[in-house]
Structure formats: structure tokens, C-alpha cells
Amino acid sequence: MSTPYPFTAIVGQDDLRLGLLLNAVSPAVGGVLVRGEKGTAKSTAVRALAALMPEVPVVAGCRFSCDPAAPDPACPDGPHEAGAGVARPARTVELPVGASEDRLVGALDIERALSEGVKAFEPGLLADAHRGILYVDEVNLLHDHLVDLLLDAAAMGASYVEREGVSVRHAARFLLVGTMNPEEGELRPQLLDRFGLTVEVAASRDTDQRVEVVRRRLAYDDDPEGFAARWAEEECALRERIAAARLLLPRVVLGDGVLRQIAATCAAFEVDGMRADIVMARTATALAAWAGREEVTSDDVRQAALLALPHRRRRNPFDAPGLDEDKLDDTLREAGDDSDGDGGGDDGPGGGEGGVPPQGGGPDAPDRGETGSDDAPVVGEGGSESGQQQPAPARGAGPEQQPVGASEPFRAKMLSVPGLGEGAAGRRSRARTEHGRTTGARRPEGALTKLHLAATVRAAAPHQRARGRSGRGLVVRRDDLRQATREGREGNLVLFVVDASGSMAARRRMGAVKGAVLSLLLDAYQRRDKVGLVTFRGKDAEVALPPTSSVDAAAARLESLPTGGRTPLAAGLLKAHDVLRVERLRDPSRRPLLVVVTDGRATGGPDPVALAARAGRLHAAEGTASVVVDCETGVVRLGLAAQLARELGGSAVTLDELRADSIAGLVKDVTAAGRAA
């Protein structure tokens, strides 16, 4: 077994270390979610924490780590008699992103259960992590159903496996730690809420601290055991402090005054439900125990709020996490009483008496211009709405306007890809999935995961006499087993192609267009899609955002999108074709949905309308499902967007029809060329 990097040797990252240590003191806090860019010691800190945890007494031979002082009466390996056990180190169990449901919760031997009537159960990672640490790296990339199972077990302290009438339950209490890079996509708000604390980590910009990080890492890589030995004394001291805080924790008093501050803070920041109040109370109590005090203070409440509330305030993926600390201080001051004594102290996060032991690391605007359209906004003498002289745009690029803000997002109608896919689980288009309604049965390929009981019985029934059946049990063999085929929903790649030309800006429509795209982005977030953004204006098109799971990154690119110039519609469609071609090679099972947001006009070059039509037919020939969001307004309409939709082999919707509460029509399934919906 490799020597882990010492926890006390980690440079900086005070909030990260404090969040982990508080959970080590009080696992009831509910775990910690670590958000941050790659290369910021997230995984290193989590793996190093296990070495600081006290040894765990377990029943000898029990695969579920039962406590010999109070064994689980429902343990599948039980019953156990209370008595002396054996001690082993606390485990850190890692859940890989590609893990199956059976690997997480365990698997039942269905064949033995049917033929012998016994519960032959192979424990999963939840059983291994009982009374230890369960670490999920890149938790935001984990399949939704696995996250649901994981967080349900963390909340209930037990794991349940139900399979065709056969049930197994075992204890599963662990310190849950998840890490994620927000650039790769967010967790749903209801899943964020299940993590007790969250911390944001980033690489230090201090030169001395970065030098120390590199120096220590190189020393560890050269001699892991020697490096760990140099930090053994600090590790031992921190381990003893955790043990002392655990012993002190039951004696810590949470007074009515600080409890009122906790409730007032949660109300002031409008967090949903009561979980935030409970987590804050537990965190503040753990902070007091960590500082060696028997009474919670206002400082503890303030620190608990900074750790427990930021991720619970997000209403949608476009909201930035974080707290207004001035508002927090005002709320604590108004709700507090003078009896706690220490409110508003100077200790920063992780510092001072109650913090983590100090470590040796040390601490262009786009131009505005006329649009050249007959309905352009009134401009001043200098060529802009403000009347100020603006620099001339690049030759051939066309005039450019400052980015405009988006209108208020709305609930969008669902646009889906026709047919039956086999992509990653999501909530948009129909697909064959591991979870969903049962639609049929087939012979299993490899390990059986979802038994179709009726089909299995039908396959085994004709052979019972030949197999010498004499009792009540059904004689089942491997060839009789049938796998259930299920239909659910998949996530798609939604590629937005947005017209940012002068014709869009001149008609003062860009705010509405951005609001519509933001609404579709929010819909894509909720349906677990990947998204990409291609924009076109001037002479060419560009990939503003390559396909990603981070819809908030797409929203940020959209918000800063400038407008103006000509309308190279064909270039935008061809650029989208290139993006989809690459993505088909990377992820052939994820079906694309092309969303073109335009009024259908095309300018620049010889016969731009014909070029756009040819580019559209290129998508249709590849079977790409598409929809055109028609942004044309006014009394006289040319219908160019609808014509483009026909070339793409898709459908067109207006901005009004895109709203879910619109009465313009039913939810539209987009169609692909050569395929029926």
C-alpha cells in the first residue's frame, strides 16, 4: 500500500482542510462537497484524511464492519453477539464515475434466490465504506440514479437492495466527500442540498506559496516514506486533537441565542427547507468542539454559515454560489444577543484558536456602431447611440454593438430527438436505459443486472419435468434467465447556432433572443444534456463554447456575445457540422439536437441564401435532428426561417411558441431527414 501524502503537509487550502476536519469530528454534519479547478489538492486532502481517523473496532469476519459493542441486528452476516472485536484502520473507499449500480449497492445472486430461496448477497462499495470515508471524485459526472442511491444511503444510514421480491438491508454510515470541477457541469440543486458543507478551492496566486507546494510535492515523490516521517509528529498531534474534539462534542451547548441566529440567517438568505438550519447547528457545534470550547459562539455560527449555505442559495445553474458577508454580519448582529460574548471576532476562516493548524506554505470592450439597417436605433453624430466617436470596425467585419442583456428566462417547451436512442441517462429523448419502464425481455449479455421474472419463469417452465423437479421450488438454470429491457430518457447534445449579426441587433431583438437561449439552456441543464454554442456574424462563424456539461459556462459566453455586421448563415451551419462530426467520434451514442436561432436572413458573398440551403441539406443528409427558432418580427414576414427548417429536415418555432405556457401548439418533436418521428 502506497504511503499517503500527509494531511498536515498540505499548503494553504484552509477552508478545504477545515471542512474535512469538521466532518471527522462530527460525521453528522453530512459530508463535504469540494468545488474547484483541477490541480488544487482536492483528492490529496481527502485521501490524507483517512490516516487521521481513529481506528474502527469491527466484528471479526463481518463483511459489513459491524460495531462489536452494538452489532446491527439486520446485518446480512449476522446475527452477531456483542463482545470484543478486532480493530482496523478507517477506510477510504473511492467510487469511480463509471461504477454500476450493483458495484455501488451490492448484488444479489438471482439464480440462487429463485432456485434455493437464499439471499446470496455480494456487498458493494456502500458496505465497504461503512464507518469510514466514501470519496466520489468528479461527483457531478456520476449518473443521476447513482447519486440518488448514494445520497439516500448517506441520509438514512442504511442501504437497501430490492430485487424481484428479494430484499437485503445493511448499515451504511460514512463520511461522504465529493469533489467536482464546476467547468464540467453542476449538480442539481436538490443534490447539492444533500451535502452538509461546501468549500471552494483555487490555486494560490502567491509566488512563495506556490514554490512551497512544488517543493513539498517533489520531496514526497522522491521519498514518500521519508517525507511522511518528517511530518509524523504534526500528524499525531492533529489525530489526537480530532479524538479530543470527538470526546468533547456531546458536552457542547448550543444556546437559544445562537440557535436564533442560525434560524434568522437561514431565513434571511431564503434557503429552502430546514436542512440548512440543522446542518448549521451541527457545524457550529463541531467548530466549538474543534476549538476546545463547550459553548457555541457567534463566530462559530458565522463560520458555519460560510460553509453550509452558499450551495443552498442557488436557484438555477446561472446563479453564482457564495454569500454576501456584509448581509451575513448584519443578520447575525440583529438576531444575536450579548450573552455569547465573542460575536464578530477577527479570526478568518480556518484561522485563530478554532481553525486549522497553520501550515508552512505562507499566504476589451466591443465597439458600438450603426447597423446599416432601415430600422436601426437612432445614433449620434459619432456613429453610436451615445453620440461618442467610436473606432472604425475591421474592414469587412461590419459594425459591432455592445453586448445587450438577456430578457427574463422562461420555462421552455421540450424539444426532443425522434426515435429510440441508447445514450447517457437524461431527461430529454426516448432511449433504451438501465432504468425506466420495462418494455420487454432478452437473453442477458454478460452479467444479469435486471431480471425479467415473468419471462424467466416462462423460459424455465417447459423444462421442469425433464429436470426432475420434485418439490415446490422452480428449477432454474442459467439459460432460463432473461434480462429486462427498459425504456427511459437520455440526455442529448444540444448545439446552439446563434445569429449575432446586425439584422438581429437592429430590430432590438437580441435581448429576447438571449432570453430564449437562456431558457433553453436552463431546460438542457434540467434534462442533463451537454450543450455547445456556435455564433456567426461579420464574415465568419466561431465556436463560442465547445460541447460541455457546464451550462453556466454557456450562459456566460452568451451574456458577453457582441452583435453587428453581416449574416454568414452558411458559415454558422458549416461550423456546427464540423462540431457535430467531431462529437460523433468522441461519443457516438449521444444523439445531437441542432437548435438554430435566427431570422433566416443570409448576407455576404455570392448567393448567400443558396449557400445556407446547401449547408442545411448537409445536416439533413446526416440525419441530424434540428429545430429553427424563428426570430423574425414585424407585420411583413419573409418566412426565411421556416424555409431553412425545411432544408434542415426539421421544424420551426417562433419565440412565442417556444414558451411552455404558449397556446400556439403542442410540444414539438423535431424531425430528421429520412426518418419518421
Side-chain angles (χ1 to χ4, degrees):
M1 181 177 177
S2 61
T3 304
Y5 191 92
F7 190 89
T8 51
I10 296 173
V11 177
Q13 306 295 12
D14 289 345
D15 285 348
L16 169 60
R17 291 183 289 121
L18 180 60
L20 293 172
L21 290 170
L22 291 177
N23 275 274
V25 171
S26 176
V29 166
V32 60
L33 175 65
V34 185
R35 297 164 44 93
E37 58 197 22
K38 54 187 177 293
T40 49
K42 300 188 298 292
S43 302
T44 299
V46 175
R47 296 186 179 104
L49 181 66
L52 301 175
M53 303 286 282
E55 286 192 332
V56 179
V58 297
V59 173
C62 177
R63 297 175 297 167
F64 301 88
S65 302
C66 279
D67 186 349
D72 182 5
C75 176
D77 283 356
H80 304 299
E81 294 183 1
V86 296
R88 63 161 175 78
R91 293 174 179 160
T92 296
V93 176
E94 295 191 31
L95 174 61
V97 170
S100 65
E101 179 181 340
D102 286 346
R103 185 70 187 100
L104 176 63
V105 300
L108 288 170
D109 188 331
I110 301 297
E111 186 173 358
R112 290 189 63 193
L114 287 175
S115 59
E116 303 175 27
V118 297
K119 295 180 182 179
F121 182 69
E122 183 66 29
L125 295 177
L126 292 180
D128 293 342
H130 179 46
R131 305 175 68 199
I133 301 171
L134 182 59
Y135 172 46
V136 189
D137 194 14
E138 306 295 354
V139 64
N140 52 324
L141 303 183
L142 202 62
H143 285 306
D144 280 1
H145 73 282
L146 293 182
V147 177
D148 291 336
L149 290 170
L150 173 65
L151 295 178
D152 282 344
M156 296 185 297
S159 175
Y160 295 85
V161 182
E162 303 284 348
R163 203 61 67 77
E164 305 296 346
V166 180
S167 173
V168 172
R169 174 223 170 263
H170 65 82
R173 292 184 296 275
F174 45 80
L175 193 166
L176 176 63
V177 182
T179 59
M180 60 176 282
N181 184 345
E183 294 179 356
E184 297 173 335
E186 286 285 355
L187 279 173
R188 303 196 310 269
Q190 60 269 38
L191 300 182
L192 282 171
D193 185 55
R194 301 294 285 273
F195 283 93
L197 310 179
T198 185
V199 294
E200 298 278 342
V201 296
S204 172
R205 299 297 182 257
D206 180 79
T207 302
D208 292 338
Q209 195 171 78
R210 295 175 74 96
V211 167
E212 187 63 21
V213 170
V214 174
R215 181 182 291 119
R216 293 187 187 185
R217 185 69 209 191
L218 293 177
Y220 170 77
D221 290 341
D222 289 341
D223 183 10
E225 294 184 1
F227 183 82
R230 291 197 294 273
W231 290 89
E233 186 176 343
E234 288 85 348
E235 292 282 287
C236 182
L238 192 56
R239 190 179 300 111
E240 291 175 355
R241 185 174 177 184
I242 292 173
R246 282 189 166 192
L247 291 174
L248 180 61
L249 186 67
R251 303 200 303 271
V252 174
V253 176
L254 185 70
D256 289 342
V258 292
L259 191 56
R260 180 171 294 276
Q261 286 183 316
I262 290 171
T265 301
C266 293
F269 285 99
E270 299 180 347
V271 296
D272 295 331
M274 296 298 298
R275 184 176 282 119
D277 304 63
I278 296 170
V279 170
M280 271 190 67
R282 288 172 173 166
T283 304
T285 304
L287 280 162
W290 178 246
R293 288 183 272 102
E294 295 188 5
E295 186 174 358
V296 176
T297 68
S298 294
D299 276 348
D300 298 327
V301 175
R302 186 182 191 279
Q303 181 67 71
L306 294 173
L307 293 170
L309 295 188
H311 61 301
R312 293 185 165 88
R313 294 189 59 250
R314 304 192 76 190
R315 293 295 186 268
N316 63 62
F318 312 135
D319 293 337
L323 288 184
D324 183 339
E325 295 195 32
D326 291 336
K327 179 179 178 181
L328 173 61
D329 291 335
D330 291 342
T331 302
L332 292 174
R333 184 166 52 252
E334 292 171 4
D337 55 44
D338 295 333
S339 61
D340 55 25
D342 293 327
D346 294 329
D347 294 340
E353 181 184 358
V356 181
Q359 303 300 315
D364 324 90
D367 303 327
R368 298 174 64 97
E370 61 186 12
T371 64
S373 176
D374 54 0
D375 55 353
V378 178
V379 296
E381 196 172 327
S384 72
E385 294 182 61
S386 64
Q388 296 177 354
Q389 183 68 37
Q390 299 295 323
R395 184 175 180 84
E400 185 177 283
Q401 290 190 348
Q402 290 278 10
V404 297
S407 62
E408 188 69 22
F410 51 82
R411 188 166 65 90
K413 282 185 175 179
M414 186 179 76
L415 304 169
S416 62
V417 178
L420 195 64
E422 295 182 344
R427 297 182 176 183
R428 184 172 296 278
S429 304
R430 293 174 54 225
R432 298 183 185 91
T433 61
E434 288 294 318
H435 299 271
R437 64 186 181 90
T438 301
T439 58
R442 60 176 174 81
R443 290 182 181 273
E445 299 174 1
L448 178 72
T449 55
K450 299 291 182 182
L451 178 75
H452 194 297
L453 182 58
T456 298
V457 171
R458 285 197 300 269
H463 308 291
Q464 296 305 296
R465 180 176 297 178
R467 293 173 182 173
R469 172 186 170 187
S470 58
R472 298 176 59 185
L474 190 68
V475 181
V476 179
R477 293 181 180 171
R478 174 68 186 176
D479 289 344
D480 301 327
L481 299 178
R482 295 295 182 268
Q483 175 86 22
T485 57
R486 303 193 175 196
E487 182 179 311
R489 294 279 173 177
E490 68 176 358
N492 298 112
L493 166 59
V494 182
L495 181 62
F496 294 94
V497 182
V498 179
D499 185 348
S501 65
S503 67
M504 301 288 286
R507 299 177 187 275
R508 297 181 179 272
R509 285 174 284 160
M510 207 60 201
V513 167
K514 286 187 176 182
V517 178
L518 278 178
S519 303
L520 291 169
L521 283 172
L522 182 58
D523 182 67
Y525 166 78
Q526 293 167 339
R527 300 189 188 283
R528 312 303 287 168
D529 296 316
K530 290 181 70 174
V531 296
L533 178 62
V534 173
T535 64
F536 59 94
R537 59 174 294 274
K539 294 193 300 182
D540 206 355
E542 66 171 345
V543 181
L545 183 73
T548 175
S549 297
S550 178
V551 296
D552 51 345
R557 300 291 173 87
L558 182 72
E559 191 69 23
S560 61
L561 178 66
T563 58
R566 295 175 179 176
T567 313
L569 177 56
L573 295 174
L574 291 174
K575 183 69 72 174
H577 182 268
D578 290 341
V579 171
L580 294 181
R581 177 178 54 81
V582 173
E583 286 303 308
R584 284 190 180 99
L585 296 175
R586 289 178 177 172
D587 190 357
S589 65
R590 187 180 289 270
R591 297 187 294 165
L593 173 61
L594 183 68
V595 179
V596 185
V597 185
T598 182
D599 57 7
R601 298 188 181 200
T603 60
D607 204 354
V609 176
L611 284 175
R614 284 211 301 270
R617 290 194 292 272
L618 189 61
H619 284 281
E622 303 234 339
T624 302
S626 58
V627 60
V628 177
V629 179
D630 185 356
C631 303
E632 191 173 27
T633 58
V635 178
V636 179
R637 302 193 182 193
L638 302 178
L640 296 175
Q643 180 179 333
L644 175 63
R646 288 192 292 272
E647 299 290 357
L648 286 165
S651 62
V653 295
T654 66
L655 288 175
D656 288 338
E657 290 172 338
L658 197 60
R659 293 178 177 270
D661 54 1
S662 169
I663 60 173
L666 300 175
V667 175
K668 297 178 181 289
D669 278 350
V670 297
T671 56
R675 294 193 299 177

